[in-house]
Amino acid sequence: MWVLDMLDDLLISLEIGIFSTIPQSFAVLFFTMTFWGIRAERPWLRIAQYTAANTISFMVFMLLPEALRPGSMLFTSAALFYLFRDISRRDRVIMAFTAVILYASLEITTAFAAISLGLAQQSDLANDPRVIIPYLLLGNTIIALVAELLRRYRLSPGKAIRLFFDQKQNRLLFSLVLLFAGNVVISSAVFYYTMLRHPFAASYTLVATSLVSVVILIVTIRSIIAVKNLEILNTQETYVDEIDNLFTTIRGQRHDFLNHVQVIQAFVRRKKFDELERYVSELVGEIVEINDLLQIGHPALAALVKSKMVYALDRKIDFRYSFEGMDRIGHGVASVDYVKIAGNLLDNALDEVLNSDPENRWIEIAGWTDEENFYLSVSNPAYSVTEEQKSNMFRSGFTTKKKDVHSGLGLSIVKERVGHYRGQLDVETAADHVLSFRVKLPLRLHTIAP
């Protein structure tokens, strides 16, 4: 008799695995990777492997005592960690928690909806879980369609959040989010495995854990606001200091004007015209340099260029710049984002040319506008850029430099900011070994991505 019961359980687990677990695993992981903007080599193969591992795990654990069945989630999470071992640990944690939460939420929501709409009875679900398969198929189809729309239109709503958590100062905040997600997973598991036998206890447990989740969520939101405000304050202080330095130089020139005139007068009286010509050339060069910076027309960019120019000159790097039509820049892109994009590209170029021979140490930044867009180009010599590096250089955490000095986030931040405004970012390697990053951003607010 027990053999027949075991065969019956095996057939049930096989039917659920084929018609529910396979499509659900595929839809959940497809949506998770698309939502967070996580890229991996041969993604469809890995999704298929994860689906197979999840299905086999479910079928095996279905034959075990009910108390051991939550182990299926641990097994599939471990499989996910192994299959995606080439991406960062933080991204794998995000994927694992998201997949588990989606998986549990979809089953609980579908069961609740089916019972509430009178499509199934609670006793039917307890006796034969296959009753819910048609409704789960519908839910899985909706999730897969949403994921496909996100992929087709290249939308990744969670990518900015993921990049935010990649920064060192936000690791504590990431731990709070993990605590919140873990609480959701535990409460869902407790509710799922106790609601049939102890519905009242399950309800009270769900309410209690939900309250804890709300508290964690409030703390998380407050932490996000605090970190964001601190970041804005630090950014503002940095750029205000740079602008102050720029205008201090201008005030210094005005203050020294009389001294310059007296020196010129002394050279004329003594008829030292060679020294006079040399002195005036140096003086005019300094004045023209500051005047050119002011002609940039964007105070934050002018301050940034001056700061990077001083850094470059100290290291004997030829710093070239040109900006035109900056008066067209309105309020389409935040000034902080202009500086983030240009600053990270310049930092990347400066780091690169420091490894070059002295005669090849130069970088060039150019900015210009037309009626609709702002264009930015940053170029520098580069002799060792491979196609693999070009394809990976915008990935968060990727760097060809020393990891303890460089986080590999600069270019990923540039890509994220450009994508936020639905701009365009290209990288080109010319025949003369010149690496160029080219950015196009819209000037008008209505073209900005939500």
Side-chain angles (χ1 to χ4, degrees):
M1 188 68 180
W2 64 272
V3 176
L4 295 177
D5 292 338
M6 186 174 181
L7 288 176
D8 189 47
D9 291 341
L10 181 60
L11 290 175
I12 292 175
S13 64
L14 182 62
E15 187 174 348
I16 295 175
I18 294 174
F19 296 105
S20 176
T21 307
I22 290 178
Q24 192 166 349
S25 301
F26 174 84
V28 163
L29 191 57
F30 179 30
F31 178 86
T32 297
M33 295 182 65
T34 307
F35 178 84
W36 292 110
I38 296 176
R39 300 186 180 277
E41 296 181 1
R42 298 179 296 177
W44 297 114
L45 175 61
R46 300 194 185 191
I47 291 176
Q49 291 172 337
Y50 171 81
T51 300
N54 198 10
T55 303
I56 294 172
S57 172
F58 170 80
M59 294 174 59
V60 171
F61 278 88
M62 274 288 292
L63 302 177
L64 299 177
E66 187 174 348
L68 298 177
R69 291 178 185 176
S72 177
M73 290 190 296
L74 297 177
F75 178 83
T76 52
S77 297
L80 186 146
F81 261 71
Y82 176 77
L83 292 173
F84 293 88
R85 57 190 178 275
D86 60 320
I87 66 176
S88 69
R89 184 179 302 174
R90 186 174 290 107
D91 286 348
R92 283 182 286 173
V93 170
I94 291 175
M95 288 177 61
F97 268 100
T98 305
V100 170
I101 290 173
L102 276 178
Y103 210 97
S105 299
L106 181 61
E107 289 192 352
I108 293 174
T109 303
T110 303
F112 180 79
I115 294 173
S116 300
L117 296 174
L119 301 175
Q121 299 295 323
Q122 184 172 341
S123 57
D124 295 337
L125 293 178
N127 296 326
D128 190 357
R130 291 174 295 181
V131 174
I132 204 174
I133 287 180
Y135 314 114
L136 279 176
L137 283 174
L138 177 61
N140 295 330
T141 303
I142 293 174
I143 290 179
L145 287 176
V146 172
E148 174 60 23
L149 289 174
L150 292 176
R151 186 190 68 84
R152 179 170 298 183
Y153 291 100
R154 297 181 179 180
L155 299 176
S156 299
K159 187 174 182 179
I161 301 174
R162 186 167 59 84
L163 293 176
F164 178 79
F165 286 135
D166 279 340
Q167 301 176 23
K168 291 182 179 180
Q169 65 268 28
N170 301 326
R171 288 178 178 175
L172 178 60
L173 185 58
F174 181 70
S175 300
L176 287 174
V177 174
L178 284 184
L179 184 61
F180 170 73
N183 190 67
V184 172
V185 172
I186 293 173
S187 60
S188 300
V190 171
F191 180 76
Y192 183 78
Y193 287 104
T194 60
M195 66 176 180
L196 297 178
R197 296 184 177 181
H198 308 286
F200 291 105
S203 300
Y204 285 125
T205 302
L206 185 62
V207 171
T209 51
S210 298
L211 291 176
V212 174
S213 298
V214 170
V215 172
I216 296 175
L217 182 61
I218 293 174
V219 173
T220 302
I221 292 175
R222 290 176 64 89
S223 300
I224 290 175
I225 295 174
V227 171
K228 185 176 181 181
N229 290 338
L230 180 61
E231 182 180 356
I232 293 174
L233 182 61
N234 291 335
T235 303
Q236 288 177 342
E237 289 178 351
T238 300
Y239 300 144
V240 167
D241 288 342
E242 297 296 345
I243 293 173
D244 284 344
N245 290 335
L246 178 62
F247 287 109
T248 297
T249 303
I250 297 173
R251 288 194 296 268
Q253 285 188 350
R254 292 182 59 186
H255 180 269
D256 295 336
F257 178 74
L258 181 59
N259 295 331
H260 293 315
V261 172
Q262 291 174 344
V263 172
I264 292 172
Q265 186 180 31
F267 279 133
V268 171
R269 285 178 179 176
R270 299 176 183 179
K271 297 182 180 181
K272 294 184 177 182
F273 299 112
D274 292 338
E275 289 83 351
L276 174 62
E277 182 179 3
R278 188 182 308 111
Y279 182 80
V280 171
S281 298
E282 294 175 357
L283 179 60
V284 170
E286 182 181 350
I287 295 174
V288 169
E289 176 184 299
I290 298 301
N291 183 67
D292 288 345
L293 285 171
L294 293 177
Q295 293 300 319
I296 289 178
H298 193 284
L301 280 176
L304 175 72
V305 169
K306 178 181 180 297
S307 174
K308 301 305 180 184
M309 181 189 302
V310 172
Y311 178 90
L313 292 177
D314 288 342
R315 290 155 181 80
K316 303 187 183 314
I317 298 173
D318 182 12
F319 190 97
R320 311 165 189 171
Y321 65 93
S322 65
F323 288 85
E324 297 178 1
M326 301 299 289
D327 56 317
R328 294 194 184 99
I329 291 182
H331 302 289
V333 178
S335 295
V336 170
D337 288 331
Y338 277 124
V339 176
K340 277 185 179 180
I341 293 170
N344 279 296
L345 290 178
L346 285 173
D347 287 340
N348 188 71
L350 288 168
D351 288 340
E352 181 66 30
V353 298
L354 282 175
N355 300 321
S356 304
D357 297 331
E359 62 271 14
N360 290 322
R361 289 185 177 181
W362 63 266
I363 65 172
E364 182 176 16
I365 179 172
W368 66 97
T369 60
D370 58 19
E371 295 299 326
E372 297 182 353
N373 299 295
F374 164 75
Y375 301 89
L376 180 72
S377 173
V378 176
S379 304
N380 61 271
Y383 297 98
S384 59
V385 180
T386 64
E387 289 300 321
E388 181 181 1
Q389 290 174 345
K390 287 174 63 176
S391 62
N392 291 321
M393 60 174 53
F394 296 109
R395 183 164 57 85
S396 176
F398 177 82
T399 179
T400 58
K401 308 175 182 71
K402 293 182 179 180
K403 290 264 187 177
D404 55 345
V405 179
H406 300 275
S407 61
L409 296 177
L411 292 181
S412 66
I413 292 174
V414 172
K415 184 177 181 181
E416 187 275 326
R417 286 292 85 193
V418 173
H420 174 76
Y421 293 102
R422 290 189 179 176
Q424 184 176 336
L425 174 62
D426 299 310
V427 55
E428 300 176 0
T429 304
D432 54 353
H433 301 289
V434 174
L435 180 67
S436 299
F437 293 90
R438 304 187 187 279
V439 175
K440 182 173 75 171
L441 294 171
L443 293 176
R444 293 174 177 80
L445 184 62
H446 68 269
T447 58
I448 296 176

